[in-house]
Amino acid sequence: MRFFSEKYHDSIKLARKAKLPDLQWELQKGADVRYTVCNRIDVHRGEVPSFGYVSGDNLNPVGTFVVVRDRSIPDGVYAYDASGKSDAPDVVGQLARMGGKEDIKRIVSAFPDCDVAEEAPLLYIFTGHLERSVWRFREASYAQVMQDVGACAASVLLHAKSKGAKVFALGGFVDDEIAVVLNLSATEVPLAALAVFPEYSETAFNSVDEGVGETAYSNRSEIETAGDETLSRYPSVFMLQNRVESIVDLSKCIRIRRLSAQALPGDEFPLTPAKYDVSQYLERLSDLEAVPQTFRPFKKVGLDLDDFSGLLRWLEVGQIHLFGAGLLKMWVVAFDVMFVYPGVYRYIPVRKSVYMQSGAVNEKKFAKCHAAPEEAENTAFALILTADLNESCNLLGERAYRYMNLNAGYMVQSLHLSSRMIRKSSRSERFFFHDELRKLCDIPESESIVAEILVGKS
């Protein structure tokens, strides 16, 4: 599956090299004019978990809505407007009130886990503004928007955990019911939700899987009644795909438990313990805020073994498969990591080890697999996320495409925060030549590359 033509890659490369004007619209945080007449409440730092995230190419296509109960803020449904701020120094945005208790009930009814959604003091709903990305990413814009939503959810999850909260990821809900209550436009799609509970909550305490990563909802049985032409269509067509993978009847959905990952044959290289334990990691994480990613070439600086191990093992702080099912495979391409032989590895989180799959990968050939080769030079290591789309769709129907990209977005955001913690840089790269990169890294033909994250020193 190739997202872009070579001609389109060339145009992106030229655009990246050009100096963009300061007033380019996609870099601005314009006010959300839909809620100008709504009553507004200032949000002070620390009142709600942070959801600043690193957006692919800084397009910021995620809309954030918050259902609030039993907080200092009056109960209701709110839209978050980051650009709406008063003169107070600790105000980080505003909540525009959209509805009250009846709207809360309508939103809760759209979730199969009604108890979790109904009792949550804070219920985040993340939507994707498709029109913000389609001009740049074309057919791949749906995947990029979903990865940005996953990154935003990761930011809420990690910062909430740093305050001792429990977080439930809710990926299964009736899309249209949520869209109607929130009065979304035709190009804005509800994609994910997170329920945030205080640590002492009985609901959170009694959760079997702590609310994240264990199961996912499949619409496979639902779409089997829609006709053979639906089942045979690959889940990568931009706007049409959303209508097919949307859950419309929860009674026809099935719940899938997470797959167990098996290590491929290869020499095992155990990772060292993470530099900070979970409590220390979360404590340091609470002080970090998201900054836009840059596309400057990396410096020629290697990574020591402890930092390399920490970056991989910190992915598990908030559950790698945040939205369930465990469909992603994790490939690590090491170039300049102390005591790690250059080559391609599979990372198996439960074993805390990487397994070598092939020998040294030529760094120059790796850079040439990207639309802007100079931006991929001097990469210390790359994390490549792949999936067997046939296996995924057979298990989860076309809902699988959403879950894969949401989970990929979590890993991208986690690496961004972790690399900043140790004064390194990471960048999600979408403009690469799929077939060339897969062949160079000896990734099986059955697997498609979902996302790539480069780690180095800017």
Side-chain angles (χ1 to χ4, degrees):
M1 182 173 63
R2 178 173 292 192
F3 290 127
F4 305 102
S5 66
E6 291 189 9
K7 183 177 180 181
Y8 185 59
H9 271 293
D10 292 338
S11 66
I12 292 297
K13 183 176 179 180
L14 292 173
R16 283 263 183 91
K17 288 184 176 181
K19 291 184 178 180
L20 301 178
D22 293 337
L23 298 179
Q24 190 159 345
W25 71 267
E26 73 273 12
L27 300 179
Q28 305 304 307
K29 295 182 178 180
D32 198 330
V33 296
R34 292 177 298 175
Y35 311 114
T36 53
V37 298
C38 296
N39 294 329
R40 289 174 173 262
I41 299 175
D42 287 341
V43 178
H44 298 272
R45 192 177 303 278
E47 285 185 335
V48 296
S50 168
F51 43 83
Y53 66 101
V54 178
S55 169
D57 271 13
N58 305 319
L59 298 178
N60 300 311
V62 182
T64 306
F65 299 84
V66 188
V67 178
V68 180
R69 297 185 197 81
D70 302 325
R71 305 276 293 187
S72 58
I73 299 171
D75 292 5
V77 181
Y78 296 86
Y80 180 78
D81 182 4
S83 62
K85 298 181 181 180
S86 66
D87 296 332
D90 62 337
V91 173
V92 294
Q94 289 184 325
L95 294 178
R97 185 177 176 86
M98 299 181 58
K101 294 183 178 180
E102 291 302 317
D103 295 293
I104 294 178
K105 291 181 181 179
R106 292 169 63 193
I107 289 176
V108 167
S109 66
F111 291 89
D113 304 298
C114 287
D115 292 342
V116 174
E118 187 173 17
E119 296 181 24
L122 286 174
L123 177 64
Y124 286 86
I125 298 173
F126 304 106
T127 65
H129 295 277
L130 301 177
E131 74 279 4
R132 276 189 170 240
S133 298
V134 66
W135 68 274
R136 179 182 290 267
F137 294 107
R138 308 282 180 88
E139 290 85 355
S141 61
Y142 195 42
Q144 181 59 59
V145 168
M146 285 188 289
Q147 289 186 24
D148 276 13
V149 169
C152 194
S155 182
V156 172
L157 169 76
L158 293 171
H159 283 88
K161 287 176 72 70
S162 72
K163 300 178 184 299
K166 300 290 185 180
V167 184
F168 292 69
L170 306 175
F173 49 81
V174 181
D175 296 358
D176 287 350
E177 290 186 16
I178 299 289
V180 169
V181 177
L182 299 180
N183 194 28
L184 303 182
S185 66
T187 58
E188 186 175 4
V189 184
L191 293 173
L194 288 179
V196 180
F197 287 84
E199 187 176 12
Y200 55 79
S201 168
E202 291 185 4
T203 302
F205 180 78
N206 292 330
S207 170
V208 174
D209 61 356
E210 293 187 349
V212 291
E214 186 68 22
T215 57
Y217 283 90
S218 171
N219 68 338
R220 183 182 178 192
S221 59
E222 179 181 78
I223 65 177
E224 283 176 353
T225 62
D228 292 339
E229 70 282 354
T230 298
L231 291 174
S232 63
R233 188 167 60 80
Y234 228 50
S236 59
V237 181
F238 174 46
M239 285 295 287
L240 294 179
Q241 186 262 344
N242 177 62
R243 296 305 311 163
V244 179
E245 60 94 27
S246 172
I247 289 178
V248 296
D249 188 347
L250 292 171
S251 66
K252 294 181 180 179
C253 293
I254 54 178
R255 197 168 186 178
I256 304 296
R257 191 162 292 277
R258 190 173 69 188
L259 299 177
S260 58
Q262 299 294 326
L264 294 179
D267 294 334
E268 180 180 6
F269 185 86
L271 299 175
T272 62
K275 183 178 293 187
Y276 308 109
D277 62 23
V278 173
S279 60
Q280 289 177 309
Y281 175 86
L282 292 173
E283 183 179 346
R284 292 171 61 90
L285 182 72
S286 63
D287 297 328
L288 296 179
E289 295 183 0
V291 295
Q293 64 177 334
T294 61
F295 296 94
R296 296 191 300 271
F298 292 126
K299 299 177 182 177
K300 188 63 177 177
V301 177
L303 207 65
D304 69 42
L305 179 59
D306 289 340
D307 288 344
F308 172 74
S309 299
L311 287 170
L312 293 179
R313 295 185 64 170
W314 287 332
L315 289 171
E316 295 186 84
V317 171
Q319 295 286 348
I320 287 178
H321 302 295
L322 182 61
F323 291 92
L327 299 172
L328 292 177
K329 282 87 172 173
M330 305 172 66
W331 298 81
V332 177
V333 187
F335 294 106
D336 194 0
V337 180
M338 187 182 298
F339 304 127
V340 178
Y341 189 79
V344 180
Y345 299 80
R346 273 289 299 275
Y347 175 45
I348 308 298
V350 295
R351 298 175 183 266
K352 306 293 188 288
S353 298
V354 293
Y355 294 79
M356 174 166 276
Q357 303 303 303
S358 66
V361 175
N362 187 288
E363 189 172 354
K364 292 185 178 179
K365 290 183 178 180
F366 177 83
K368 289 181 179 178
C369 290
H370 299 78
E374 67 279 1
E375 295 176 4
E377 292 177 351
N378 299 328
T379 297
F381 80 91
L383 181 66
I384 299 177
L385 307 176
T386 68
D388 185 328
L389 296 184
N390 287 325
E391 171 198 8
S392 302
C393 293
N394 287 335
L395 182 71
L396 289 174
E398 298 198 1
R399 195 76 171 185
Y401 197 59
R402 175 183 297 192
Y403 292 139
M404 286 188 298
N405 283 287
L406 290 175
N407 287 331
Y410 164 77
M411 295 190 210
V412 170
Q413 178 69 8
S414 178
L415 274 179
H416 280 312
L417 291 172
S418 299
S419 61
R420 285 194 62 212
M421 189 177 297
I422 59 174
R423 294 181 173 85
K424 298 296 187 294
S425 303
S426 66
R427 179 171 67 245
S428 58
E429 181 59 68
R430 291 208 63 85
F431 300 108
F432 55 82
F433 300 100
H434 180 279
D435 292 340
E436 288 82 345
L437 184 59
R438 182 177 53 76
K439 291 177 182 177
L440 180 68
C441 299
D442 288 336
I443 296 173
E445 292 186 7
S446 61
E447 297 182 23
S448 296
I449 298 177
V450 178
E452 181 193 32
I453 308 106
L454 309 180
V455 181
K457 175 69 174 178
S458 292

